[in-house]
Amino acid sequence: MPRILAIDYGAKRTGLAVTDPLGIIASPLDVIPSHTLENFLKEYFEKEDVSRVVIGMPKNTDGRPTNATPLVQAFINRFKKVFPARELILHDERFTSKMAMDAMITGGMKKKDRRNKGNVDKVSATIILQSYLESNS
């Protein structure tokens, strides 16, 4: 069965999460430099059956765009050109970084590891994916 991939796109780093083959459980996949994302996705799509891609869309608490929204929108436009057959779903990512930090603290992650922003990005992507799964179950 195909997986669902989630992307927490950032200016420097991008967090990735993926479901298990049954599409039930969201797990962190990787964090990569954003400028390498397109190549990473090409290779990943060749190896894994991915039915859709969920990307976190940054918004302020009032629903208006953030400073990061144009950056994410530019990536979305590029994604649609490079991967026109892939289903792309936009999902609200408000508070995911805060939720990721809280989850790492609750999970007992050491302070040194929580300072690694890549860990926050991976967990944020996982939260985006889990939220998407829950809203579509």
Side-chain angles (χ1 to χ4, degrees), residues 18-39:
V18 68
T19 63
D20 63 300
L22 296 176
I24 298 170
I25 300 168
S27 301
L29 176 63
D30 206 349
V31 63
I32 60 169
S34 294
H35 71 275
T36 67
L37 180 58
E38 186 178 319
N39 288 333

Side-chain angles (χ1 to χ4, degrees), residues 118-137:
N119 287 334
V120 175
D121 295 334
K122 278 193 292 191
V123 175
S124 292
T126 307
I127 291 169
I128 290 166
L129 183 53
Q130 188 63 44
S131 172
Y132 169 78
L133 293 172
E134 289 170 3
S135 68
N136 289 288
S137 59

